[in-house]
Amino acid sequence: MRLSTYPLVDAAEAAATVLEHTPVLGGEQLALSECAGRVLAADLMATSPLPPHPSSAVDGFAVRAADAGRTLRIVGESAAGRPLAARVDEGTAARILTGGVVPDGADTVVMVEDVQLHGDSVTVPKGLAPGTNFHAVGADLRQGERVLTAGMQLGAAEIGLAAALGRPRLEVHRRPKVALMSTGDELVEVGTEPGPGQIPDSNRWALLAALREAGAEVRLLGIAPDTAPELRDLVTDALHDADVLVTSGGVSVGTHDLVKPLLETIGTVHIGRVKLKPGKPFTFATIGGQASPAARGRAREGGGSLDQGRLAFGLPGFPVSSLVTFEVFVRPALRKMQGLAQLQRPSLPVRLAFNAKAVGDRTEYHRVTLRREGSDLVADSTGSQSSSRLMSLAGAHALVRVPPGDQGISAGTTVEALILALP
Ligand code: AMP
Ligand code: MG
């Protein structure tokens, strides 16, 4: 058995190293119908005011406030999309409908409920104030104002604003293209009856869901066997049109663990082991941009063509280890690539209802469910934190970081937890 030569890196330091090597992807013009969830790549400025014309907020009469208390001659109607050509001068009024343009000369709108109608004239109440019951030009947005800032994620209201300003497309960051591969001779396709010693490839589907949630476009590469040449062919082929390679399995120190040696050949391995539980064998490499000349030479001999700055994440094979290292290292990187300003999960103070033991020199991400007790959030452990036990993550609401040492965190202590979902 080959012993790993990689230094054990502190988990927070490893996360920072990953982000240092992570590029922000370029932009593309996208139709509004495709923009939900994407991240704006350029500020959106108001090229026109909103509303673009004085727009009535009610059904009623557009008048001059100075004519309060008088009976006025009705000169016509202004409906939404059908403005009145005539002016409202002293002694006159225009019938107006919600969304109708307030005609020139009028400075206020009186609600239909507040007037008395007599054929083609109308009596308006005393004490009218100018500027009432209509939205003035630019009341919602002034021309030249910054409407949306680069780095914002686009949701319903943001897309609505762009449409209201007449913009059919927006400049958004490209989504990262991720090639996803499982490794291991023991794996079979889900739905195929496993033979002796075989198990279904479950990581592929768990990681596919996690990648999509994080905004990636995923290409599934299937299962790579534990043989070096086949693994190398699959990886070099995948890297032609991927920004990121994510593998699971094959990164521990067993003789069949081929991912680290392969990444050493085609790129630069920056992290080979982390002080993290679960997820100690987590591996991170860059392919292309940061590669040493020697590595480039080896890659050429191996037939691989290298572009600039591809990222490769070798996640451990145990199901919980692969998902926790995805959370800690891969998800923030994918968010950075998409131009998001907020890379981490939100955190909230939670009170532990259990004693969280520390695990020597490693940071543990303890999986918890949350419940409300008055205004507090209380965290219960999901039980055995074994790295093979996916039930420790299924239904979990949060991750509690237990620092290394021999202290642990005792029940009753309030700590910041990374929120996956609220109860
Ligand atoms: P490895 O890191 O390849 O030594 O794998 C560690 C453990 O995770 C082994 O018990 C594997 O069977 C399991 N494992 C690896 N890949 C997968 C996968 N794609 N789906 C489910 N379990 C896996
Ligand atoms: Mg394996």
Side-chain angles (χ1 to χ4, degrees):
M1 196 175 284
R2 188 179 59 89
L3 283 180
S4 181
T5 53
Y6 288 95
L8 260 169
V9 181
D10 172 76
E13 203 180 307
T17 301
V18 169
L19 289 177
E20 265 166 36
H21 289 280
T22 302
V24 176
L25 299 178
E28 59 183 339
Q29 291 278 332
L30 218 57
L32 292 186
S33 57
E34 307 306 311
C35 281
R38 300 293 288 261
V39 184
L40 204 60
D43 291 352
L44 178 70
M45 309 301 286
T47 44
S48 53
L50 273 188
H53 46 249
S55 171
S56 184
V58 296
D59 294 337
F61 289 86
V63 302
R64 294 152 58 98
D67 281 343
R70 294 178 60 183
T71 297
L72 310 170
R73 185 168 55 84
I74 300 171
V75 294
E77 180 183 272
S78 177
R82 282 181 278 130
L84 178 68
R87 277 179 60 87
V88 168
D89 289 317
E90 190 188 345
T92 68
R95 196 185 290 277
I96 194 161
L97 298 164
T98 304
V101 178
V102 177
D104 286 346
D107 60 9
T108 194
V109 175
V110 189
M111 287 204 278
V112 71
E113 293 90 331
D114 296 338
V115 304
Q116 285 173 328
L117 264 175
H118 338 268
D120 56 3
S121 64
V122 61
T123 305
V124 294
K126 291 185 179 135
L128 295 179
T132 310
N133 289 330
F134 71 90
H135 305 289
V137 172
D140 294 342
L141 262 184
R142 279 172 287 112
Q143 182 164 0
E145 204 176 324
R146 192 205 320 270
V147 186
L148 302 174
T149 311
M152 279 179 87
Q153 193 161 24
L154 297 169
E158 293 76 22
I159 291 170
L161 271 167
L165 288 166
R167 294 279 299 263
R169 276 174 296 282
L170 286 172
E171 173 85 5
V172 298
H173 286 282
R174 204 159 63 65
R175 285 186 187 285
K177 289 188 197 146
V178 178
L180 175 62
M181 185 169 75
S182 302
T183 71
D185 286 338
E186 75 280 30
L187 302 175
V188 293
E189 292 289 342
V190 177
T192 303
E193 193 57 39
Q198 294 186 317
I199 56 167
D201 171 14
S202 66
N203 287 353
R204 190 196 317 175
W205 307 108
L207 288 169
L208 174 65
L211 283 162
R212 288 203 175 138
E213 187 276 337
E217 261 173 37
V218 186
R219 188 172 143 214
L220 292 173
L221 300 179
I223 302 164
D226 288 325
T227 45
E230 273 160 88
L231 188 67
R232 192 192 58 216
D233 288 351
L234 265 172
V235 164
T236 43
D237 186 40
L239 284 169
H240 284 298
D241 65 347
D243 303 301
V244 178
L245 170 72
V246 173
T247 64
S248 75
V251 282
S252 45
V253 290
T255 44
H256 296 297
D257 294 324
L258 303 165
V259 173
K260 278 188 187 102
L262 171 66
L263 293 176
E264 281 166 15
T265 314
I266 62 171
T268 306
V269 175
H270 302 280
I271 292 156
R273 290 194 303 162
V274 277
K275 293 181 188 168
L276 182 67
K277 182 177 183 284
K280 186 174 171 185
F282 169 79
T283 299
F284 170 67
T286 47
I287 296 163
Q290 312 291 329
S292 66
R296 283 169 183 279
R298 287 198 298 274
R300 254 176 251 121
E301 284 155 30
S305 98
L306 299 178
D307 292 338
Q308 290 292 305
R310 311 278 156 124
L311 307 184
F313 294 93
L315 307 185
F318 282 115
V320 183
S321 310
S322 66
L323 286 180
V324 168
T325 50
F326 179 90
E327 271 297 324
V328 177
F329 302 114
V330 186
R331 188 176 182 276
L334 294 174
R335 289 175 68 83
K336 181 178 176 187
M337 293 179 106
Q338 290 166 83
L340 280 162
Q342 177 58 40
L343 304 184
Q344 308 298 334
R345 295 269 185 193
S347 71
L348 284 175
V350 305
R351 197 174 77 233
L352 294 198
F354 63 100
N355 288 313
K357 287 206 196 80
V359 280
D361 66 346
R362 295 198 274 162
T363 300
E364 181 175 38
Y365 278 75
H366 199 113
R367 285 79 75 193
V368 298
T369 55
L370 299 176
R371 60 189 152 90
R372 287 169 206 267
E373 240 182 57
S375 56
D376 288 356
L377 283 171
V378 176
D380 295 296
S381 172
T382 55
S384 161
Q385 300 289 295
S386 161
S387 57
S388 62
R389 185 175 170 264
L390 260 187
M391 286 300 281
S392 69
L393 199 49
H397 294 123
L399 301 173
V400 169
R401 226 185 267 116
V402 186
D406 40 31
Q407 296 281 299
I409 308 173
S410 38
T413 310
T414 296
V415 294
E416 285 287 315
L418 294 173
I419 305 298
L420 306 171
L422 281 172

